[in-house]
Structures are given as structure tokens and as C-alpha cells.
Amino acid sequence: MEPPQVLPFLTSSRRWPSLTPRPRARQLWLLLRSSLHEVVEKAREVPTIDCGSAHSGPQEKRAELRVARLTHGLEPLRRLEVAAGLRSVAQDPEGGRFVVLDGAGRLHLHKEDGWAQETLPAPLGLTGLVTVLGPLGSVGRFVGWGPAGLAILRPNFSLLWLSEQGVSRATGWAPSCCLPVPDLRLLLVAEMDSSLALWQFRSGGRRLVLRGAPLHLPLSPTARLMRLAVGPTPPHNVLRCFAAYGSAVLTFDLHAWALVDVRRDLHKTTISDLAYCEEVLAMVTASRDSTVKVWEADWQIRMVFVGHAGPVTAVAVLPNTTLVLSASQDGTLRTWDLQAAAQVGEVALGYWGQDKQSGRVSRLLAPVRPGWPVLSLCASSVQLWRVRELYSPLAQLPAKVLHLQVAPALSALAQPSLPTRIVCACTDGSVYLLSAATGHIVSALLLEPEDCAAAVAYCLPREALWLLTKAGHLVRANAARCPMSVLHRLCPPPPPAPQPCCLHLYSHLRDLGGAFSSWEVVRQHLGELRRSAVAAAWKNKNRWVQEPARAWRAEGARGPCQQALTTRRYLPVVGHTDGTLSVLEWLSSKTFFQTEAHSPGPVTAIASTWNSIVSSGE
């Protein structure tokens, strides 16, 4: 039955009045879910995956309705067929789209996720198209090239400027690839006759002027200009242009416009692609010899990746990461981590069922904006790959992390709330406070390696840090300063006396707003509060007040161990090797209460709720 007829039939049945509210709700929910499924099915038919068609097929609808799973690495998103053959793709982050130029001279506009928007005829015969980013792209967003020369197109793809015929110098002249350098207002043009020309944007990006004469490359019977890349060179980090030319890489000075370096035989065969990784200051080259190589600034080899079983045809560097993508004729798209010097991902290029020949990748385009997909360009298709990240780097610390805590442990609902800090105790004896939002170092306690932490306890509202070293020393530091200052150190008693082995901070906040106010006063006075400041800071429900005596039950004891205890809102609790628990004074760190808990074994862990302390023993 159609959905409008199902509901009256359902509610008028004899069984309906006898149903309780829960079964009725379930029946209505099943009806709603099935109706929504049909609506979604019809809505999926509007987008397109074929650059020449207006509707998507059943395969695309099924792919969109699949259950999403948490993954890491590259995940297939969509495949766009280009019936007339693919010539070029230009990503337009300002317009939130990318443009596909096909062999019939049509421009297909797609959203960043691949859904088609419209198809337009190119204003003139084009064989390639690139996007100009930054302020230069506000008027002339795209640069195209073809037999007629160079052309600047407006954001609506109308013709803004066309190079003069005399500049082309020869009949049939056409660039093979172009690379904009918006920061320097330049456009690099690789020409068919193995020469490189430099153009400069003028009039706010409305026209191009040839800068100097084209540079003719060293003669080679087989080499031709394949790819261009821009990167800084030491010692002054001046931008240079790098060109893949056979098995060599040529370096050009963009300011003097001269060929300054030639590095030959970097690979055994032709270099198919190259890219610069800014995070590790290295050049990455790919070759038909099945390898991906990483080079230092002086062209000393840093590492070689040899996982591919066929010629590598394209590489790309993911922005703001140390990850490099490479596509090969072996039918795989692999991810390499330059920091870990290892392969960290692999997907099959034939995911959509095409053969290896039709799925051979000629170019990889990295995302131009966070959340955008990776584009792999083939002879007659564009493949979109979603970048899945289960984690992202937050901070880089100088040593390995032994202990990790989050403070405050529970998120505060009151406004304004306390900031969230991450406590990292490292193997070199240092302890760092990081901002959970930005990863920036707020403060650091710098001790010697012999003071390596066995446990840490941090009180954010009071900006106090306790550190229990592996040698048994108890250190209290002022975390309001950067770096932290050690207020006092309590040495352990000599053996055979019990040694401290566990540390915990009991914390109970009744008034979150008052905790934030007192934290502001503590930060303002850098943790060194005077009497007047103390009075102002502690006028809240979190002040250190005495409470009624509580009964403590020792684990394993025959009966309750009742002792009077003067509790406070923040209590440092230490476990010892003889199984006892002790509570410390806030300022002096001296023991003012002690109880047996796990005799005869040592205490192994301590935790707490708002009204109890839980401990475990060996």
C-alpha cells in the first residue's frame, strides 16, 4: 500500500485499541522509517556522476545508502565518468567546487563532494585549466591554455584576457602544463618544445605579461618536461621552481629567471611526478622504476619507498601533514608517512570495477581545503577519495610520554567553565601542561631524568602539581608560572620504612563558578597569593573547610576502621608499599591522616568519586 493509505488502515484495525503505548509507538516508527527510506531513494536521483548525464544510477544510490564505518586513511567516495575524455581538473576552493574540462571542450562544474552542478561550453578551445588562488583569483579565477595561447577566465568562465598571437612564436604552439605562484604573482608555463616560460600577473590578475625570454632546457632526445613544483631552498628559503625532466630535476631561480641547478639520474628511469613536503622540508619524486624517493635540500637521499609493484605515475602531499600519496600502474593508491618512514595505507584503484588500463592514474590532486577529497585523474574518469582521520597531531613533545591525564576530569557545565588541560609526564623527567583545545604548552616542569614520574596529580583551580618520582620523592610545584617553580620536595624515609608508590588527587567542586573565579585570582598572582587575595579567592563553596568526621573502611579488615578525618575539597592521597593510604596537608605535603588499606601488599591504584576513595592493592 502507499504510505498515505497505510496509517488509517493501521489505526482502524481491531488490534490497535488493545495495544499499549509502546507497541503503538513501534508500529508508527516502522511506518515512518520505511516512508523516509522511499523519500531518500527518490532524492538521490537528482545528483549526477556522469559529466554528460542528468541522473545517477542505482549503483550511486546504493553507495550513498551504505552504513558508514569508522575508518582511517583513504576511503572511496565517488567516481565521475567523463565520456568525452578527461583533459584537466581545476579545484576552486573560493567557489566550493571543482571544474572538469573534457575532450569536447565542455566545462563540468561539481561540488567538492562530486555532485554535479551544471555544464558550460568553454569560451575557446582549451586543453588545460588551473585555478589561481588568493587575491589574484577575485577577478580572473582560472587560467586556461590551448592552441590559441593563454587565457584568463572570470569566475563565471567568460573570457577575460587572451594572449596575443605574436607571443605564441610558432604555429601549433601550446603549453603542456601551467603552475600558478600567487604569492609572487607569477605563472610558470611548460611548453611543448621543452622550454619553460615565466609570466607575471598584472592589473590585479586581469592580464599576463611575459617576463624575460623562455628558458630552453638541456638537449635530450627522450626527456620532456613532465611536472612542475615550487618549494623553498636554504639558507634563505627563497622560492624555487623544480621541474621533472627525464630522470633529472631542474631548479629555476624565479627572481633572476635562470636555470641554477641540474640533478641528473635521480631515478633509473623517467621521473613521472614530484611534490614538495613543507612539513619535513623535503622533495618527493616518483618514477617509472616503481619507487618513491625523498630528498634533502642538498639532494642527498633521505629515504626510498619500494612498495609498488609497477611504475608510479603520480604523487601528492596532503597539506599540513607528513603523508604522501602515490598512484601506480599496479592498481594501488598508497599512503606513506615521511616521519615514520613507512607505508601507512593502501587502497585499490579498481574499487569501482574498472580494469587497470582504464583506471590508470595520470595525476593526483591533494585537497585544497580541510574536508575536501583527494582527486585521482584517469583518461576518462575522476575518482574522489575521502581522507579519514581517526586522530590528528595535537602537540610535539621532546620525549616519550609516560603518563597522561585530563584536568578537570569531568567537563564543567557552568559558564564560564574552567579550561581543559592535558598533563603529560615524559621520560626525560619533564611534565607539560597542554591546552586541550590548541595543543599549545601552557606550562612545564623541567626536572632531571632521575626524577622521572611514577605518578602525577594536578589541581587546575589551585594551579598546583604534585609529582611522585620513581625514587619515591614527592615534589610540589607552582603550575601558575611557566616554567613551573618547585615549592618543596619531600624525600622518602630510608628503607626498610614503607615507600610511597601511588598518588591521587581527590577533588570535589560544589560551585563551578566560584572555582573559575578563584582560578583567575590564582593565575593573576602567579600562584603566590597574599592574605587579601586568599580571602577574595576562597570566598566560595570550594574553600578549604573542615567537614564532619567520616568513617573509613579498610579493605580486608574484619570491621569498620573508624577514624576522625579532617577533609578538604582537594586532598592529595598517597599509597605506600605496606598497603597504607595517607592524606597530605595541602601546603606542606605532610601526612595528617593514615589508614591501613591493603596490608600486607602495596597499593597499586587509587581513584575517587565525589564522596568516596577507591583503592586497589597487590
Side-chain angles (χ1 to χ4, degrees), residues 398-553:
K400 293 182 179 180
V401 178
L402 288 176
H403 305 282
L404 198 66
Q405 292 182 5
V406 178
L410 299 178
S411 58
L413 300 179
Q415 294 294 334
S417 60
L418 292 168
T420 305
R421 298 285 188 249
I422 299 178
V423 187
C424 303
C426 301
T427 55
D428 62 351
S430 59
V431 180
Y432 293 92
L433 295 182
L434 306 179
S435 168
T438 64
H440 295 160
I441 296 177
V442 178
S443 185
L445 176 62
L446 306 177
L447 302 177
E448 298 299 327
E450 53 267 21
D451 288 327
C452 189
V456 289
Y458 171 58
C459 182
L460 174 62
R462 297 288 182 258
E463 287 294 355
L465 179 78
W466 281 268
L467 172 72
L468 179 62
T469 70
K470 291 185 177 180
H473 293 254
L474 186 64
V475 178
R476 181 172 179 265
N478 178 13
R481 291 184 174 274
C482 184
M484 301 183 200
S485 57
V486 176
L487 299 179
H488 59 78
R489 177 190 290 259
L490 192 64
C491 298
Q499 303 294 307
C501 59
C502 209
L503 177 65
H504 175 71
L505 178 68
Y506 166 83
S507 177
H508 176 43
L509 302 179
R510 287 187 177 180
D511 181 11
L512 297 176
F516 180 83
S517 301
S518 62
W519 174 75
E520 283 187 319
V521 175
V522 172
R523 296 286 296 180
Q524 180 182 357
H525 292 81
L526 298 178
E528 299 175 358
L529 297 180
R530 304 180 183 90
R531 290 182 179 271
S532 58
V534 170
W538 293 351
K539 279 185 178 180
N540 58 73
K541 297 179 182 179
N542 300 307
R543 62 187 183 275
W544 304 338
V545 296
Q546 294 187 353
E547 291 187 351
R550 298 185 183 272
W552 289 63
R553 181 184 299 272

Side-chain angles (χ1 to χ4, degrees), residues 59 80 179 198 267 309 322 466 470 472 491 537 586:
Q59 180 182 1
L80 310 178
L179 177 64
L198 184 65
H267 286 264
T322 60
W466 281 268
K470 291 185 177 180
C491 298
W586 178 267

Side-chain angles (χ1 to χ4, degrees), residues 117-160:
Q117 291 180 315
E118 59 178 322
T119 300
L120 301 172
L124 72 164
L126 298 176
T127 58
L129 189 71
V130 293
T131 309
V132 181
L133 304 177
L136 292 176
S138 59
V139 179
R141 183 72 56 80
F142 303 96
V143 171
W145 63 90
L150 291 173
I152 300 180
L153 308 182
R154 296 184 179 92
N156 61 357
F157 301 100
S158 61
L159 182 63
L160 176 63

Side-chain angles (χ1 to χ4, degrees), residues 226-300:
M226 293 292 295
R227 290 284 191 269
L228 301 175
V230 172
T233 57
H236 305 294
N237 292 329
V238 180
L239 284 180
R240 298 282 191 266
C241 170
F242 303 94
Y245 187 64
S247 61
V249 173
L250 313 179
T251 305
F252 297 89
D253 187 334
L254 297 179
H255 297 277
W257 190 229
L259 177 63
V260 295
D261 189 33
V262 178
R263 297 289 170 166
R264 302 182 185 275
D265 301 327
L266 296 180
H267 286 264
K268 294 180 180 179
T269 57
T270 302
I271 297 176
S272 54
D273 203 353
L274 77 168
Y276 183 78
C277 182
E278 189 174 356
E279 294 296 320
V280 295
L281 304 177
M283 182 65 69
V284 183
T285 58
S287 171
R288 300 188 63 83
D289 62 5
S290 305
T291 65
V292 176
K293 295 185 178 182
V294 184
W295 305 90
E296 301 282 358
D298 57 355
W299 292 103
Q300 297 296 317

Side-chain angles (χ1 to χ4, degrees), residues 51-76:
C51 292
S53 65
H55 299 284
S56 64
Q59 180 182 1
E60 182 62 29
K61 291 188 292 183
R62 287 195 299 269
E64 285 298 310
L65 292 175
R66 286 182 304 177
V67 178
R69 291 178 175 85
L70 193 62
T71 59
H72 177 66
L74 292 182
E75 180 182 272

